[in-house]
Amino acid sequence: MLTRIDHIGIACFDLDRTVEFYRATYGFEVYHSEVNEEQGVREAMLKINDTSDGGASYLQLLEPTREDSAVGKWLAKNGEGVHHIAFGTADVDQDAADIREKGVRVLYDEPRTGSMGSRITFLHPKDCHGVLTELVTSRAEH
């Protein structure tokens, strides 16, 4: 069962400059940053608030580390902006299987490693009214 909006992913050309915008404009601070070589991104997670299920909601700022990454290709086509929405779940495997049974394409056969050691998968945007959708089980939940 999906329990929260885990994060909203925002693609950007310059991570440091974008982090500074969110810090100066809204007072959001970086909670976690990392480079995900598999996904080809450098990212910063800005914590917005804690949630009633023990998780949190974040903005995830994503800068591609290579042009052929999914975020790099998306930026080249669309420019900066909202890239995806992610829903938190205690069991990404089960929820992905349940959603697949409803006819929605799940992009990974097996969940992959995401931010902060989470387990993730994505749903095809054409099956989700144009929205790239991520399912996330945070490290604390698995």
Side-chain angles (χ1 to χ4, degrees):
M1 173 177 56
L2 306 180
T3 59
R4 68 182 177 282
I5 295 175
D6 185 85
H7 67 271
I8 297 172
I10 300 172
C12 61
F13 291 111
D14 184 331
L15 184 64
D16 296 326
R17 193 182 76 174
T18 306
V19 164
E20 183 52 35
F21 169 81
Y22 281 95
R23 179 181 292 124
T25 305
Y26 306 114
F28 298 151
E29 296 294 333
V30 174
Y31 178 80
H32 175 84
S33 62
E34 68 181 83
V35 174
N36 184 320
E37 295 294 343
E38 180 182 6
Q39 299 288 326
V41 295
R42 185 168 79 103
E43 65 180 80
M45 297 293 277
L46 286 61
K47 187 174 183 179
I48 307 306
N49 65 298
D50 293 312
T51 59
S52 62
D53 65 356
S57 292
Y58 303 90
L59 287 181
Q60 179 187 45
L61 306 179
L62 300 159
E63 175 190 66
T65 58
R66 56 181 197 270
E67 291 179 12
D68 69 338
S69 70
V71 172
K73 291 176 186 177
W74 190 90
L75 268 171
K77 180 179 178 183
N78 301 292
E80 294 184 308
V82 174
H83 179 262
H84 66 275
I85 187 168
F87 295 108
T89 171
D91 190 345
V92 68
D93 297 274
Q94 186 61 57
D95 282 333
D98 292 347
I99 290 169
R100 181 180 277 124
E101 286 181 15
K102 295 175 182 174
V104 175
R105 288 174 281 180
V106 178
L107 298 183
Y108 304 152
D109 290 330
E110 295 291 324
R112 297 181 182 178
T113 302
S115 299
M116 300 182 287
S118 62
R119 297 186 70 240
I120 65 167
T121 196
F122 286 90
L123 309 178
H124 200 292
K126 288 185 179 178
D127 297 342
C128 299
H129 297 272
V131 178
L132 179 61
T133 304
E134 182 179 6
L135 305 179
V136 179
T137 298
S138 67
R139 172 181 254 165
E141 293 174 315
H142 65 83

